[in-house]
Amino acid sequence: MVNLVEAQKPLLHGLMKMAGIKPHSIEIEPGTIMNFWVPSETIKNTKKNKKITTTTPFSNNQCATSPETTTKPDPTKPVVVLVHGFAGEGIVTWQFQIGALTKKYSVYVPDLLFFGGSVTDSEDRSPGFQAECLAKGLRKLGVEKCIVVGFSYGGMVAFKMAEMYRDLVGALVISGSILAMTDSISSSTLNGLGFSSSSELLLPTSVKGLKALLKVAAYKKLWFPDRLHRDFLEVMFTNRKERGELLEGLVVSNKDTNIPKFPQRIHLLWGENDQIFNLELAQNMKDQLGDKTTFHGIEKAGHLVHLERPCVYNRCLKQFLTSLHAEKSQY
């Protein structure tokens, strides 16, 4: 029987290419490969028989021969990097934002390790390692400065990248995420939602579990036939062992946490009805981050704010990006 989610991928890939981005793969280091969707104009043909290691999204790291390489981003367009969350790959997560941004921005959409065919043989499962690989990949793609937009798990990676690579990350937009998953936040969040572990919440193994995840992630009740839930589980929740280890690598002790002093402007763009990371957490984080951090809440939206209210989200996102230019910041 045809998997309905799998069958939609060629259409989604086609829409992304129409929006001006194409898949490309980068060897970060031996044993570590990361997939990116990059601006089409940065890709050029090389010698017909030149071989580079490449994978395409959703390929489970199948290697192929490619005659393509990349050049530096268009210098007239600021670079925006969209970093996905835990339950979906890059272009699935940001499908409603990419087309809205590509006219004025060079948009890069990575698949983090163990998502969309990005893999590593390293045993490091920390957000810091994800951030290191992402930064190395962007530099290999010719990116010298960028604005990073991070959602949920991708927001924690974005925070870490901004802390580690201040010359690369010029500004941050964070949605439904926190600086770090401390053991106290983890316990209180899971208890409040009625889950015993992060894996139970974020790595469902049944239709019932996926419905429970969608119930707490969305503001409005989402209805899909059970078959579509089963197809989604089969396609989108691969690499379960490694992703479970990623969740374990997220949690840090309260005593080991500190609030970095970020030189970048940070904008928190939130669903006001987020049940996973609620408004209180967002406001507390804004206060901790200081005067360079701004906050905007979007009503009638939950954790999946960018998917539930994409038009409002895109307008708010573009307003912040425009404000960076008004300050004559160079990204």
Side-chain angles (χ1 to χ4, degrees):
M1 185 177 292
V2 174
N3 185 299
L4 297 178
V5 175
E6 185 76 33
Q8 294 175 32
K9 288 178 182 177
L11 174 60
L12 181 58
H13 290 190
L15 291 172
M16 294 301 104
K17 291 176 183 179
M18 287 175 62
I21 63 172
K22 294 177 65 175
H24 194 74
S25 187
I26 298 292
E27 184 179 53
I28 307 300
E29 57 189 36
T32 300
I33 295 172
M34 184 170 276
N35 290 329
F36 288 80
W37 285 77
V38 304
S40 300
E41 64 267 20
T42 68
I43 295 180
K44 65 178 182 178
N45 290 331
T46 57
K47 292 175 66 174
K48 187 173 182 179
N49 293 324
K50 183 176 180 179
K51 293 184 178 181
I52 61 173
T53 303
T54 181
T55 58
T56 56
F58 317 108
S59 68
N60 293 322
N61 198 37
Q62 295 174 349
C63 293
T65 300
S66 170
E68 295 178 337
T69 186
T70 58
T71 62
K72 288 188 175 183
D74 183 345
T76 66
K77 288 183 174 182
V79 173
V80 175
V81 180
L82 304 175
V83 190
H84 64 81
F86 207 82
E89 293 137 2
I91 60 170
V92 174
T93 299
W94 300 109
Q95 57 188 287
F96 298 127
Q97 283 67 53
I98 293 166
L101 295 174
T102 49
K103 184 176 180 180
K104 292 185 178 180
Y105 301 93
S106 290
V107 178
Y108 290 73
V109 188
D111 287 325
L112 296 174
L113 298 172
F114 302 114
F115 296 85
S118 296
V119 294
T120 182
D121 59 8
S122 169
E123 296 182 359
D124 192 337
R125 300 290 185 259
S126 68
F129 183 66
Q130 292 272 22
E132 178 185 346
C133 292
L134 178 52
K136 287 180 178 179
L138 290 169
R139 295 215 193 267
K140 290 191 175 193
L141 290 166
V143 175
E144 297 176 351
K145 200 80 169 179
C146 62
I147 305 153
V148 182
V149 183
F151 162 67
S152 197
Y153 175 67
M156 298 182 210
V157 174
F159 270 130
K160 186 59 67 173
M161 191 164 78
E163 178 186 356
M164 296 167 62
Y165 302 96
R166 301 186 177 197
D167 59 326
L168 175 64
V169 180
L172 285 176
V173 180
I174 302 294
S175 295
S177 188
I178 51 179
L179 281 160
M181 181 65 80
T182 63
D183 42 21
S184 61
I185 291 177
S186 177
S187 297
S188 62
T189 299
L190 290 170
N191 289 338
L193 295 173
F195 291 86
S196 62
S197 68
S198 296
S199 291
E200 183 188 1
L201 171 63
L202 295 172
L203 287 174
T205 58
S206 65
V207 169
K208 181 180 178 181
L210 180 54
K211 287 181 177 179
L213 171 58
L214 292 175
K215 183 178 180 180
V216 301
Y219 169 68
K220 292 183 178 180
K221 183 177 180 180
L222 303 174
W223 183 89
F224 301 105
D226 285 354
R227 181 190 170 185
L228 198 59
H229 283 98
R230 286 193 293 270
D231 289 351
F232 191 87
L233 281 168
E234 182 180 337
V235 173
M236 292 298 172
F237 291 94
T238 56
N239 298 318
R240 286 181 175 273
K241 174 180 178 294
E242 291 83 1
R243 291 192 195 183
E245 293 167 353
L246 291 177
L247 289 175
E248 292 175 4
L250 271 181
V251 181
V252 296
S253 171
N254 286 343
K255 64 183 181 181
D256 294 331
T257 59
N258 58 74
I259 308 300
K261 293 183 178 180
F262 291 100
Q264 302 96 334
R265 276 194 61 188
I266 300 173
H267 188 54
L268 307 178
L269 188 51
W270 231 260
E272 291 187 354
N273 302 95
D274 193 328
Q275 297 182 65
I276 296 177
F277 296 123
N278 59 34
L279 282 182
E280 182 180 356
L281 278 175
Q283 292 287 1
N284 289 341
M285 185 167 63
K286 177 185 178 300
D287 294 339
Q288 292 173 333
L289 290 171
D291 295 338
K292 282 195 170 185
T293 301
T294 51
F295 173 87
H296 183 87
I298 296 177
E299 62 180 6
K300 297 181 181 179
H303 191 64
L304 300 174
V305 56
H306 57 293
L307 294 174
E308 291 188 276
R309 305 207 62 190
C311 294
V312 178
Y313 186 93
N314 293 349
R315 183 170 66 248
C316 295
L317 175 58
K318 288 192 282 188
Q319 285 174 351
F320 175 73
L321 296 176
T322 300
S323 75
L324 297 174
H325 294 294
E327 296 177 352
K328 297 182 180 180
S329 299
Q330 298 299 313
Y331 302 124

